[in-house]
Amino acid sequence: MQEKKTALFLILIVLIGLGLRFAPVMLFGTQMSYDAPYHQRIAEKVFELKEIPLMDESMGGRANIYPPLYSVFQNIMHYATGFDFFFLGMILLPIISLLAILTVFVFVRKYAGTRKALLAAFLTAISSSLIAYAFDSPENFVFFFLPAVILLFNENKGKLGAVIYASGLLWNYLIIIASVIPLIFYLRKKIKELIYVGLGLLLTVIYYFVFHGESVFYNQDINLAMDFVSLSFKPAFFVSVLISYLLIIPLIYFIWKNGLNKKADYWKYFIFLSLISLTTVFLTPFLRAWEQIKFLSLSSIIVLACIQVFDKKVKIYAGVYVLILFCSSLVMCFQGFYPSTMKQDFSSMKFLEEFTEKGSILAEPSFSEHMRNTTGLNERILTSLYFENTGKNSFLKESLNYLTFQEIENEKEFFEKSDLRFIALNFEDKATRNTDKIKEKETFNKIYSMKYYRKCLIQNKIIGYTCGWNETEVLEYNEYGK
């Protein structure tokens, strides 16, 4: 009877997680967040070539250094279901994000019991940061299997754990880089397991070098990318950092005071490292501090559930934690805080394709990637999600600086050299980069506009900046050719 109740509660939790993860893609009718259109294009190239492409054509070509397994997985699902890559880009990663609920449940149930496992599963289902990153990165696969990997190490199945963990490099680099130092701390007395992990990671790195060689290091300018992304996140990021500190610091106190199941120590190390890394937001965007919030979310959920003494203070803290996560997730999912492109934006892409065959086009990188996938404008687009691809003819640095600050030294010279004629803007540009300044310049004419209204629960641009009236616009540089 108890097992049936547990199963029913778990099914309900999964359904809640499903609703929160699929509400945005259903409401907006398109892929969410930044990297999804890039992954769609690479998957389509894999389908066309029947191999992993070594080059991507955007920005004149650059070595395709992204891990290959997600592109392969998309192709497998395409053959299995018949769904096109655009639709698969909408649903696959949210589904994998959802499955992390199950591996967290299994891990916590093993070491802390069923009730705490259900709490951990519920927190995973409603975690706003895990949901926010559920749409655009294959790191969701690593979030899904990482609890299982730690469970395997705990149960003396180190070889299998090491193989699965090393495979994470074939899904996403960042989560492996962030999680390997805590793993070294955790396995420091298990030399054999550490050797397995090191060997697996080494073989994977050799694989990359064999297939990509020195081209991996060409045209790299990571700082440029980080500056642009950090400025885009700025309206909400420091609030998220503050909330993270307010939630995690009390949890660290409860670990120290009430004890933690030794089998969950890995997640304690993960919290400490992520919290330290989050602090770098005050120093430099280069270390991608915003990524640490999702790592803190996963690790803190498991640590909270595995605290040995669940006294009254811990219960009150857990209640506050649930309330904050649930409310922030509802606002995020149903107020549309973070989608970078909506269905209405695609009509402006079609307009640009049909309007003229001359002149370069400047648009926010994710917007540009959708444009590449749905039009024949690739060679005319100045930005790319390959942020760091700063080849001598890319004009990427100047383009991103202009979008960010609406000003650039020797503006006319930049426009002439890059042949820039059009700027495409949508709601995100206005909300995060104040691009209304561009429209105020006498050098631009508005040649296309689509205004549309999106009803939200709370019509407030601060809470959800896609709510109310929005506009997709195309501006033309009126000194073109002079």
Side-chain angles (χ1 to χ4, degrees):
M1 188 66 181
Q2 188 62 39
E3 287 298 317
K4 286 185 179 180
K5 283 185 179 180
T6 300
L8 286 173
F9 275 121
L10 188 57
I11 290 170
L12 178 61
I13 288 168
V14 169
L15 289 175
I16 291 170
L18 182 71
L20 290 173
R21 282 159 178 78
F22 277 89
V25 293
M26 294 300 106
L27 287 170
F28 291 97
T30 187
Q31 299 169 343
M32 308 300 291
S33 202
Y34 294 91
D35 293 349
Y38 157 74
H39 290 301
Q40 176 193 335
R41 186 174 72 253
I42 297 300
E44 288 172 344
K45 292 300 292 185
V46 172
F47 178 76
E48 176 187 332
L49 300 173
K50 300 298 185 290
E51 62 181 17
I52 304 295
L54 294 181
M55 296 294 295
D56 178 81
E57 297 91 348
S58 66
M59 307 285 298
R62 195 208 80 161
N64 174 32
I65 62 173
Y66 207 91
L69 282 190
Y70 181 48
S71 300
V72 173
F73 182 71
Q74 283 181 297
N75 272 266
I76 292 171
M77 296 308 297
H78 173 70
Y79 282 113
T81 66
F83 295 143
D84 63 38
F85 289 103
F86 181 86
F87 183 72
L88 290 173
M90 289 172 61
I91 66 169
L92 284 183
L93 292 178
I95 290 173
I96 300 302
S97 171
L98 188 72
L99 293 178
I101 296 170
L102 303 180
T103 52
V104 167
F105 173 82
V106 170
F107 181 91
V108 175
R109 191 183 196 190
K110 177 74 175 178
Y111 303 118
T114 300
R115 285 190 177 185
K116 290 183 178 180
L118 289 171
L119 170 65
F122 182 59
L123 289 170
T124 306
I126 66 171
S127 171
S128 50
S129 59
L130 293 179
I131 293 170
Y133 286 93
F135 303 102
D136 74 330
S137 176
E139 69 192 354
N140 284 284
F141 285 86
V142 189
F143 284 141
F144 161 56
F145 67 62
L146 191 55
V149 166
I150 305 304
L151 182 62
L152 288 170
F153 282 121
N154 287 344
E155 300 304 309
N156 298 316
K157 296 179 180 177
K159 287 183 181 179
L160 180 58
V163 169
I164 298 174
Y165 182 74
S167 74
L169 270 177
L170 299 175
W171 293 106
N172 181 269
Y173 307 132
L174 182 62
I175 180 62
I176 296 300
I177 294 170
S179 62
V180 73
I181 294 177
L183 191 61
I184 291 170
F185 271 101
Y186 187 54
L187 297 177
R188 64 189 184 278
K189 294 181 180 179
K190 298 182 177 181
I191 303 302
K192 190 180 293 186
E193 281 80 358
L194 272 178
I195 291 172
Y196 295 151
V197 171
L199 185 60
L201 293 176
L202 178 62
L203 290 173
T204 310
V205 169
I206 290 172
Y207 158 82
Y208 279 115
F209 185 79
V210 168
F211 281 91
H212 298 288
E214 295 179 2
S215 65
V216 170
F217 305 102
Y218 292 165
N219 299 337
Q220 304 296 303
D221 189 348
I222 305 298
N223 262 325
L224 172 65
M226 298 307 101
D227 287 337
F228 182 78
V229 174
S230 63
L231 283 166
S232 298
F233 284 176
K234 195 173 182 179
F237 182 60
F238 284 101
V239 174
S240 301
V241 170
L242 178 62
I243 292 173
S244 298
Y245 276 111
L246 291 175
L247 284 176
I248 300 304
I249 291 175
L251 181 58
I252 292 173
Y253 168 76
F254 290 130
I255 296 171
W256 171 74
K257 183 181 177 182
N258 295 8
L260 185 71
N261 188 305
K262 291 297 181 183
K263 298 290 188 179
D265 268 359
Y266 169 77
W267 305 100
K268 177 179 68 177
Y269 299 133
F270 206 169
I271 283 178
F272 290 149
L273 180 66
S274 296
L275 197 63
I276 293 169
S277 300
L278 185 62
T279 307
T280 63
V281 67
F282 302 108
L283 304 174
T284 173
F286 182 77
L287 297 177
R288 305 169 63 108
W290 53 84
E291 304 278 6
Q292 303 303 324
I293 295 176
K294 59 194 170 188
F295 303 150
L296 279 168
S297 186
L298 180 67
S299 54
S300 64
I301 285 168
I302 297 176
V303 163
L304 174 59
C306 291
I307 288 177
Q308 287 185 318
V309 180
F310 231 63
D311 60 18
K312 186 177 180 180
K313 290 182 180 179
V314 177
K315 289 178 182 178
I316 293 172
Y317 168 82
V320 172
Y321 198 175
V322 168
L323 185 63
I324 290 174
L325 289 190
F326 194 56
C327 290
S328 60
S329 293
L330 285 175
V331 169
M332 184 182 66
C333 293
F334 293 98
Q335 297 299 126
F337 182 73
Y338 57 99
S340 59
T341 309
M342 288 194 277
K343 286 188 292 186
Q344 290 84 355
D345 297 328
F346 285 82
S347 58
S348 65
M349 300 176 195
K350 185 177 181 181
F351 167 81
L352 277 166
E353 187 175 32
E354 296 175 350
F355 183 72
T356 179
E357 296 179 356
K358 297 180 179 179
S360 299
I361 301 164
L362 176 59
E364 178 271 322
S366 186
F367 199 165
S368 295
E369 293 301 325
H370 280 295
M371 212 177 289
R372 281 193 172 85
N373 293 345
T374 56
T375 70
L377 297 170
N378 179 50
E379 294 181 359
R380 294 171 56 193
I381 300 170
L382 291 178
T383 64
S384 168
L385 282 173
Y386 272 155
F387 288 126
E388 70 275 24
N389 186 25
T390 54
K392 67 177 183 178
N393 296 319
S394 73
F395 300 104
L396 183 62
K397 185 173 183 177
E398 297 91 336
S399 300
L400 293 183
N401 280 337
Y402 195 76
L403 276 176
T404 303
F405 303 109
Q406 295 80 53
E407 292 180 356
I408 190 172
E409 191 176 346
N410 301 320
E411 181 177 298
K412 187 172 182 180
E413 181 181 346
F414 159 56
F415 281 20
E416 290 175 350
K417 284 184 177 180
S418 63
D419 196 27
L420 195 155
R421 183 175 180 183
F422 304 102
I423 298 180
L425 304 171
N426 69 356
F427 74 94
E428 189 198 30
D429 295 296
K430 181 177 180 179
T432 64
R433 288 179 284 276
N434 193 25
T435 48
D436 277 344
K437 291 180 181 178
I438 297 177
K439 291 185 289 183
E440 295 169 1
K441 296 188 177 187
E442 295 181 356
T443 50
F444 288 100
N445 298 321
K446 185 189 293 188
I447 58 172
Y448 172 90
S449 174
M450 174 181 277
K451 290 188 177 181
Y452 56 93
Y453 184 80
R454 202 183 85 83
K455 185 174 179 60
C456 289
L457 300 174
I458 304 171
Q459 300 300 313
N460 188 314
K461 287 284 185 182
I462 296 175
I463 295 175
Y465 59 58
T466 64
C467 296
W469 283 103
N470 294 289
E471 186 175 16
T472 301
E473 303 162 284
V474 176
L475 311 178
E476 183 178 26
Y477 182 51
N478 59 29
E479 295 188 14
Y480 178 79
K482 294 184 180 181

